[in-house]
């Protein structure tokens, strides 16, 4: 049996519309958050889950963490049903929601950590060892006496991650963990998560809108849309279908301009650098380079693919998400 097994999971919410002034009672509508979602995750995997707002990502995480009960289907984590064996289940998982906190706002974070020690019944020596490992890895040593409210967003996220891992969970759920973080904080957090997965064997399920997080961390990605699973496999396999455009930047030593290009190419200029957008399936890169070289001596030439965010946007558009 796989570590996580989800079979035909379904969840519907009742949403009440805002009542207009002087109108009748608030109208109820049903929103299908998940519909027949199935997947498996093996122990030690690092899996990304993407999709637009309302796709069902957070609902999936909340069901697997025992917060929500599904209307249909089944789910087990290491043989446990999360919402039925909640007490035993939460002892073995960690959860980090990017917009929520489990730490106390006005007290030093070390006090929150020690309270979590008692909640999770972590033995003293094991707690001190794990706290030392995490504070060093997450660079929190100088912040333990600082209240959460006095920390930057990046520091708070590192503190939240530390709190979620103090009891050495087998499974870590991350919901938008890098939202609002600056670039250095994102890079540091990604490095830590890779080490935690590799060295501790922690299974990680990451839901995010940040495709850089997915590309940097997740060998496997699931796409949810309209409450359904639309793709499950390697990120490279998903993107290869939409990675159909290349960009060439060329600068000539003598100020020349590119020659006439095939119809699928789009030419633009910024300063003394020319930019050519082309489709390799229609204009092979080797043929384009030959054309560009025919115009004069090339001083600088770079080739690049599309930004991952552009590819995902194209995918969402095709899937009508």
């Amino acid at each position: 049996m796989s570590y996580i097994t989800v079979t035909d999971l379904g969840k519907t919410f009742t949403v009440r519309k805002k009542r207009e002034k002087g109108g009748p009672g608030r109208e109820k509508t049903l929103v299908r958050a998940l519909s027949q979602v199935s997947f498996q995750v093996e122990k030690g995997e690092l899996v990304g889950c993407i999709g637009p707002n309302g796709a069902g990502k957070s609902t999936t995480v909340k069901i697997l963490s025992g917060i929500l009960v599904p209307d249909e289907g089944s789910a087990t984590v290491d043989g446990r049903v999360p919402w039925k064996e909640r007490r035993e289940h939460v002892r073995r998982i960690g959860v980090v929601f990017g917009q929520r906190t489990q730490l106390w706002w006005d007290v030093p974070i070390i006090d929150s950590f020690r309270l979590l020690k008692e909640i999770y019944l972590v033995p003293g020596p094991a707690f001190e060892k794990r706290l030392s490992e995490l504070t060093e890895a997450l660079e929190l040593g100088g912040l333990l006496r600082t209240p959460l409210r006095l920390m930057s967003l990046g520091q708070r996220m590192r503190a939240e991650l530390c709190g979620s891992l103090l009891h050495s969970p087998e499974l870590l759920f991350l919901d938008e963990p890098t939202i609002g973080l600056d670039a250095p904080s994102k890079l540091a957090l990604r490095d830590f998560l890779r080490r935690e997965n590799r060295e501790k064997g922690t299974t990680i399920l990451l839901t995010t809108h940040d495709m850089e997080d997915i590309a940097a961390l997740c060998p496997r990605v699931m796409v949810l849309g309209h409450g359904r699973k639309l793709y499950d496999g390697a990120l490279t396999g998903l993107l290869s279908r939409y990675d159909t455009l290349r960009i060439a930047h060329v600068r000539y030593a003598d100020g020349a301009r590119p020659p006439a290009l095939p119809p699928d190419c789009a030419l633009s200029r910024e300063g003394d650098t020319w930019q050519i957008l082309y489709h390799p399936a229609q204009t092979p890169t080797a043929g384009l380079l030959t054309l560009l070289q025919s115009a004069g001596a090339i001083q600088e030439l770079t080739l690049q693919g599309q930004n991952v965010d552009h590819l995902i946007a194209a995918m969402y558009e095709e899937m009508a998400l």
Side-chain angles (χ1 to χ4, degrees):
M1 179 184 289
S2 297
Y3 183 63
I4 298 175
T5 301
V6 173
T7 305
D8 294 332
L9 210 59
K11 182 67 179 177
T12 300
F13 293 102
T14 300
V15 178
R16 298 176 185 270
K17 292 185 178 180
K18 186 177 180 181
R19 185 177 65 179
E20 295 183 8
K21 188 175 181 180
R26 296 170 67 183
E27 182 182 347
K28 297 179 183 178
T29 58
L30 297 179
V31 176
R32 188 73 165 162
L34 291 177
S35 182
Q36 296 183 315
V37 171
S38 300
F39 62 87
Q40 295 179 333
V41 176
E42 302 303 326
K43 194 170 182 62
E45 274 198 279
L46 205 167
V47 182
C49 184
I50 64 174
N53 290 331
K57 306 185 302 297
S58 294
T59 300
T60 302
V61 169
K62 288 175 181 176
I63 289 174
L64 290 177
S65 58
I67 296 173
L68 290 178
V69 178
D71 302 322
E72 304 162 4
S74 63
T76 59
V77 177
D78 199 20
R80 301 181 302 275
V81 178
W83 58 92
K84 291 183 178 179
E85 303 167 74
R86 189 172 297 168
R87 180 171 294 184
E88 178 63 22
H89 183 60
V90 297
R91 290 179 57 241
R92 300 171 182 270
I93 69 170
V95 181
V96 177
F97 291 104
Q99 297 296 322
R100 296 174 179 85
T101 180
Q102 65 176 330
L103 306 180
W104 273 254
W105 189 246
D106 292 310
V107 303
I109 58 172
I110 185 60
D111 293 342
S112 292
F113 292 161
R114 295 198 182 283
L115 181 57
L116 290 169
K117 167 187 175 295
E118 300 302 322
I119 291 173
Y120 287 104
L121 304 176
V122 184
F127 170 78
E128 296 298 336
K129 181 172 184 267
R130 185 63 166 154
L131 179 64
S132 177
E133 291 174 352
L134 290 171
T135 52
E136 180 179 355
L138 292 167
E139 299 180 359
L140 290 171
L143 296 168
L144 291 177
R145 298 293 175 185
T146 304
L148 197 68
R149 63 181 173 81
L150 297 181
M151 294 183 178
S152 68
L153 183 59
Q155 291 169 339
R156 292 203 302 268
M157 185 52 64
R158 297 203 309 271
E160 290 289 345
L161 194 54
C162 180
S164 294
L165 292 170
L166 282 170
H167 59 297
S168 300
E170 302 168 356
L171 171 62
L172 180 62
F173 294 105
L174 299 172
D175 190 17
E176 301 286 358
T178 63
I179 189 168
L181 299 188
D182 58 24
S185 297
K186 285 185 179 184
L187 292 174
L189 198 59
R190 290 171 191 155
D191 287 342
F192 171 79
L193 292 173
R194 275 192 291 265
R195 290 199 306 273
E196 188 71 15
N197 173 253
R198 181 179 63 250
E199 297 174 7
K200 302 292 184 182
T202 306
T203 306
I204 299 176
L205 183 61
L206 167 68
T207 65
T208 182
H209 288 291
D210 192 324
M211 287 309 303
E212 291 183 359
D213 286 346
I214 296 291
L217 292 170
C218 304
R220 172 185 168 193
V221 62
M222 290 188 292
V223 180
L224 294 181
H226 303 303
R228 295 182 178 273
K229 188 183 76 173
L230 304 176
Y231 177 85
D232 186 354
L235 178 63
T236 52
L238 175 66
L239 296 182
S240 62
R241 178 175 175 181
Y242 303 93
D243 190 14
T244 60
L245 188 67
R246 290 290 182 275
I247 306 170
H249 297 272
V250 61
R251 182 154 51 91
Y252 290 98
D254 54 2
R257 65 167 290 150
L261 298 172
D264 70 292
C265 298
L267 181 65
S268 61
R269 183 175 184 175
E270 184 174 333
D272 57 355
T273 300
W274 295 92
Q275 176 178 281
I276 302 98
L277 277 68
Y278 69 101
H279 299 270
Q282 300 176 43
T283 300
T285 299
L288 177 68
L289 294 180
T290 299
L291 277 174
L292 295 177
Q293 289 172 337
S294 69
I298 294 176
Q299 186 174 21
E300 184 177 346
L301 174 67
T302 61
L303 297 174
Q304 67 185 67
Q306 281 184 286
N307 182 283
V308 175
D309 287 327
H310 285 92
L311 299 179
I312 294 299
M315 179 193 72
Y316 285 174
E317 183 177 0
E318 180 177 306
M319 294 180 175
L321 299 181

